[in-house]
């Protein structure tokens, strides 16, 4: 989909359905990327200066067009990903609600961060000019679709919605895990653009192709920022490409996180079994294919830790195998599980059998001393795998927290009596994560004004940003100061 036209590539590729016949799609090329980026630049000179009402109308119409194609999206999504229809329908609802939330937020206008310093012509020793500031869109944005969210983090997902809300045209590099789903959503966006009489270059989507296609997207001189959700290795490679450009551009990558859960002593004593069962359910939700999957539980050693481990083991053992999104993700999960099992200082608590594209839960345990000696234990294994880390005392729990790399989330399970230790841990955890939770599980990410889905590296490549919630719009804006401009020349939002 290049600026409102379906264009044939020189070759085709196919999806890899769980069941049924593969579908074929045009393969992207650097030349198609170039055409899409040039169309986006042309569209920017009108769309970037459109009214907030016009952009809000487009976002709402995209949501409507997606819902009109809901049955087709669900059918194709189930075929390509193996996700259940209820999960896909819920994700579609989240995607359309997000578009509508952004529309409301754009109309309200606070995201512009408008500031005014009136002229002081008589000020001594020097007068002050009339100064006004507001946020302006940065230009065409590239978005890489995610494997684990075929709707909410892909073609019309959070990055695309935020860019369109900001006034930036979008070039999407679709994920090969679900090209058919992405194409149906692209049809919905195109229909909305035509209905709203917006320049067609506002949206393009390119599927498939080798690494040169992704490289050409982030290195195209007309692209001004990149949004990405995916692996640490893939994201870091794209980040380095963005930084190496003659004009470096921001790369907003959400990469990886183990989302540690600190179970303080009072909570372990009062609710250990309940927390263990909830943790197991959270670990295995969606075959563990959530970036906020709480992969590590930290508990005080002793009899209560043993009881926690036993309940978690029993709960995980009762969970059936689940189909993973792609063969590659399943292979990476099995490889990560095997690496964990081969570490001498790690004890296998639950070992199951998984093969092909099906994942079953695994549970391991180690001590804080051994965890701190082996940085590999703190790396994400994408799937339903949990690691219990036992600490000797509160001081060791703090040391473990201080040794963590950046995370999307950190969770405290606590009772009122745990408050003093929680207060001591909180400043450390604030430096480690974008979202802090108490007495919950992080796998639910609310789309709202207050959500932060990001964190210090390697959770994300920009600790000052979020990829979920209305604050995500700010990634694709930059402040502009207007000095002594006559009213007729000022942007309408500053008059």
């Amino acid at each position: 989909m290049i600026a409102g036209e379906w264009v044939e590539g020189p070759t085709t590729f196919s999806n890899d359905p769980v069941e049924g016949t593969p579908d074929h799609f045009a393969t992207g090329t650097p030349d198609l990327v170039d055409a899409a980026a040039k169309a986006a630049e042309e569209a920017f000179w009108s769309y970037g200066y459109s009214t907030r009402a016009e952009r809000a109308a487009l976002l709402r119409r995209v949501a409507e067009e997606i819902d009109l194609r809901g049955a087709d999206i669900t059918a194709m999504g189930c075929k390509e990903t193996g996700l259940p229809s209820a999960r896909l329908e819920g994700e579609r609802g989240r995607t359309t609600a997000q578009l509508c939330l952004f529309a409301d937020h754009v109309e309200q206008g606070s995201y512009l961060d408008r500031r005014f310093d009136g002229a002081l012509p008589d000020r001594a020793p020097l007068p002050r000019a009339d100064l006004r500031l507001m946020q302006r869109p940065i230009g065409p944005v590239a978005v890489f679709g995610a494997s684990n969210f075929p709707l909410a983090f892909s073609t019309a997902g959070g990055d695309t919605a935020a860019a369109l809300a900001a006034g930036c045209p979008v070039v999407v590099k679709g994920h090969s895990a679900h090209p058919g789903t992405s194409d149906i959503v692209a049809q919905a966006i195109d229909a909305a653009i035509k209905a709203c009489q917006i320049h067609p270059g506002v949206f393009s989507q390119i599927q498939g192709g080798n690494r040169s296609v992704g490289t050409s997207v982030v290195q195209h001189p007309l692209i001004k920022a990149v949004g990405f959700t995916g692996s640490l290795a893939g994201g870091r490679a794209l980040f380095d490409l963005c930084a190496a450009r003659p004009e470096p551009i921001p790369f907003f990558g959400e990469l990886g996180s183990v989302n540690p859960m600190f179970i303080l002593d009072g909570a372990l004593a009062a609710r250990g079994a309940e927390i263990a069962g909830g943790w197991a359910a959270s670990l295995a939700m969606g075959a563990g294919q959530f970036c906020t999957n709480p992969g590590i539980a930290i508990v005080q050693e002793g009899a209560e830790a043993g009881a926690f481990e036993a309940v978690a083991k029993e709960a995980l053992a009762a969970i059936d195998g689940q189909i993973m999104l792609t063969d590659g993700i399943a292979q990476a999960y099995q490889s990560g599980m095997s690496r964990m099992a081969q570490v001498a200082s790690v004890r296998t608590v639950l070992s199951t059998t998984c093969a092909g594209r099906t994942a079953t839960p695994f549970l391991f345990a180690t001590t804080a001393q051994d965890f701190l000696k082996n940085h590999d234990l703190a790396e994400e294994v994408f799937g339903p795998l949990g690691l219990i880390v036992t600490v000797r005392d509160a001081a060791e729990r703090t040391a473990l927290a201080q040794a963590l790399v950046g995370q999307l989330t950190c969770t405290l399970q606590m009772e009122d009596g745990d408050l003093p230790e929680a207060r001591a841990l909180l400043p450390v955890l604030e430096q480690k994560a974008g979202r802090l939770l108490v007495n919950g599980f992080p796998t639910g990410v609310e789309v709202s004004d207050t959500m932060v889905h990001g964190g210090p590296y390697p959770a994300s490549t920009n600790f000052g940003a979020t990829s979920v919630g209305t604050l995500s719009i700010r990634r694709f804006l930059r402040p502009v100061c207007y000095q002594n401009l006559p009213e007729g020349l000022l942007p309408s939002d500053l008059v």
Side-chain angles (χ1 to χ4, degrees):
M1 167 66 72
I2 307 296
E5 299 292 335
W6 290 99
V7 180
E8 291 188 7
T11 60
T12 63
F13 72 101
S14 62
N15 55 9
D16 185 19
V18 177
E19 294 180 349
T21 305
D23 306 285
H24 299 276
F25 306 88
T27 303
T29 66
D31 286 343
L32 291 174
V33 171
D34 182 61
K38 288 176 178 176
E41 173 77 359
E42 183 182 338
F44 177 69
W45 302 114
S46 57
Y47 187 70
Y49 294 85
S50 59
T51 66
R52 289 183 281 125
E54 288 170 334
R55 296 199 297 280
L58 174 62
L59 292 168
R60 293 192 181 102
R61 186 59 183 261
V62 171
E64 292 172 6
E65 295 290 344
I66 288 173
D67 278 338
L68 287 173
R69 294 161 175 80
D72 291 340
I73 288 170
T74 298
M76 180 61 78
C78 290
K79 176 181 177 179
E80 290 186 316
T81 68
L83 293 171
S85 58
R87 153 71 194 273
L88 285 163
E89 288 165 4
E91 189 180 331
R92 176 165 56 86
R94 169 189 167 135
T95 303
T96 55
Q98 182 169 249
L99 288 159
C100 294
L101 173 66
F102 282 10
D104 293 342
H105 190 71
V106 166
E107 284 184 329
Q108 190 265 341
S110 62
Y111 76 99
L112 294 170
D113 192 20
R114 288 169 285 196
R115 304 182 184 200
F116 303 87
D117 285 318
L120 297 174
D122 299 324
R123 189 183 67 177
L126 294 173
R128 184 178 74 190
D130 180 88
L131 300 171
R132 306 183 185 210
L133 175 147
M134 68 179 287
Q135 302 290 329
R136 296 293 301 139
I138 59 174
V141 168
V143 170
F144 283 74
S147 64
N148 60 333
F149 281 90
L151 300 174
F153 282 85
S154 290
T155 301
D159 288 345
T160 297
L164 291 176
C168 298
V170 176
V171 177
V172 171
K173 174 63 173 69
H175 198 284
S176 58
H178 42 73
T181 308
S182 298
D183 268 3
I184 298 172
V185 177
Q187 294 169 17
I189 297 174
D190 182 56
I193 288 171
K194 288 180 168 65
C196 294
Q197 299 183 327
I198 302 291
H199 190 294
V202 160
F203 174 82
S204 294
Q205 176 169 272
I206 295 166
Q207 304 261 39
N210 56 28
R211 289 186 178 182
S212 67
V213 177
T215 297
S216 64
V217 170
V218 300
Q219 291 191 320
H220 198 286
L222 297 178
I223 296 296
K224 299 302 180 184
V226 177
F228 173 88
T229 299
S231 70
L232 174 59
R236 183 54 197 251
L238 293 175
F239 173 85
D240 291 344
L241 288 173
C242 287
R245 289 174 32 143
E247 177 200 358
I249 59 173
F251 178 83
F252 299 103
E254 190 264 278
L255 307 183
S257 181
V258 294
N259 306 295
M261 181 174 66
F262 293 80
I263 306 169
L264 303 189
D265 296 347
L268 184 62
R271 298 181 286 111
E274 175 189 339
I275 295 169
W279 181 52
S282 184
L283 274 176
M285 182 186 299
Q289 298 170 118
F290 291 94
C291 45
T292 51
N293 189 24
I296 295 177
I298 298 116
V299 297
Q300 176 94 21
E301 64 183 15
E304 288 167 344
F308 175 90
E309 178 184 297
V311 173
K313 176 182 178 180
E314 182 179 5
L316 288 170
I319 295 172
D320 293 332
Q322 301 174 75
I323 297 173
M324 300 199 86
L325 293 159
T326 68
D327 288 332
I329 290 173
Q331 291 166 10
Y333 173 63
Q334 293 166 23
S335 175
M337 171 272 296
S338 296
R339 287 196 308 273
M340 185 78 73
Q342 292 167 12
V343 177
S345 60
V346 170
R347 176 169 51 88
T348 300
V349 177
L350 173 66
S351 180
T352 57
T353 301
C354 57
R357 199 162 155 177
T358 299
T360 51
F362 284 78
L363 183 61
F364 299 93
T366 191
T367 66
Q369 305 98 292
D370 290 321
F371 182 87
L372 292 171
K373 293 175 185 175
N374 189 341
H375 296 296
D376 291 344
L377 297 180
E379 291 185 3
E380 179 184 30
V381 177
F382 196 61
L385 182 149
L387 176 65
I388 297 173
V389 181
T390 55
V391 297
R392 291 172 295 189
D393 50 33
E396 194 167 63
R397 187 152 38 212
T398 299
L400 191 151
Q402 291 171 334
L404 291 170
V405 297
Q407 305 291 328
L408 293 171
T409 73
C410 286
T411 299
L412 287 171
Q413 296 285 351
M414 58 174 288
E415 295 291 302
D416 290 345
D418 295 317
L419 192 57
E421 184 182 357
R423 284 200 188 105
L425 272 173
L426 189 63
V428 179
L429 300 184
E430 280 183 346
Q431 294 300 308
K432 301 297 181 178
R435 177 162 61 110
L436 305 179
L437 298 82
V438 168
N439 295 342
F441 299 96
T443 37
V445 181
E446 185 72 24
V447 181
S448 67
D449 291 330
T450 52
M451 179 51 61
V452 174
H453 189 63
Y457 185 85
S460 61
T461 56
N462 190 309
F463 58 77
T466 174
S467 60
V468 176
T470 54
L471 186 62
S472 66
I473 299 172
R474 290 290 296 268
R475 296 174 297 168
F476 307 122
L477 298 166
R478 64 180 182 87
V480 176
C481 176
Y482 301 87
Q483 180 170 329
N484 274 350
L485 268 67
E487 184 172 310
L489 195 56
L490 283 168
S492 59
D493 284 318
L494 271 180
V495 175

